[in-house]
Amino acid sequence: MKRLIFILVICFSVSSVFIFGLSQTPKQSNTTGKVTTEQTSKQMKKTIIAKVMYTCPMHPEVIVDKPGKCPKCGMNLVKKEPAKKTESKKK
């Protein structure tokens, strides 16, 4: 009986520590600068623009991030050109 109580106390203690650890969230100090969503989206756009993608001329659905051979036909992959933005002229 004492053994069962001892095991239950240990389980309760471990679960309490685990739950308390999960409830603690990291807090940001007020001295650090806040990052706005505008800054984050600008950084993401720069990352996306800077990343070079490669595709197969015969299989445009094959898109990878490094040069090599197409897994379907064996052709050399070529750089995928970013979509060109068309500006509408207002008169």
Side-chain angles (χ1 to χ4, degrees), residues 8-24:
L8 289 174
V9 169
I10 295 295
C11 290
F12 178 76
S13 300
V14 169
S15 63
S16 297
V17 169
F18 181 73
I19 291 171
F20 179 75
L22 289 178
S23 67
Q24 299 295 320

Side-chain angles (χ1 to χ4, degrees), residues 5 8 13 21 35 37 39 44 46-48 50 57-59 61-62 65 67 73 76 81 87-88 90:
I5 292 172
L8 289 174
S13 300
V35 177
T37 55
Q39 290 172 336
M44 288 173 55
K46 286 181 183 178
T47 303
I48 291 170
M58 295 298 291
H59 303 98
E61 68 273 8
V62 175
D65 60 349
C73 65
N76 288 330
E81 297 295 326
E87 295 182 22
S88 60
K90 294 182 181 180

Side-chain angles (χ1 to χ4, degrees), residues 72-83:
K72 292 185 177 183
C73 65
M75 289 181 65
N76 288 330
L77 299 176
V78 296
K79 285 185 183 180
K80 183 176 181 181
E81 297 295 326

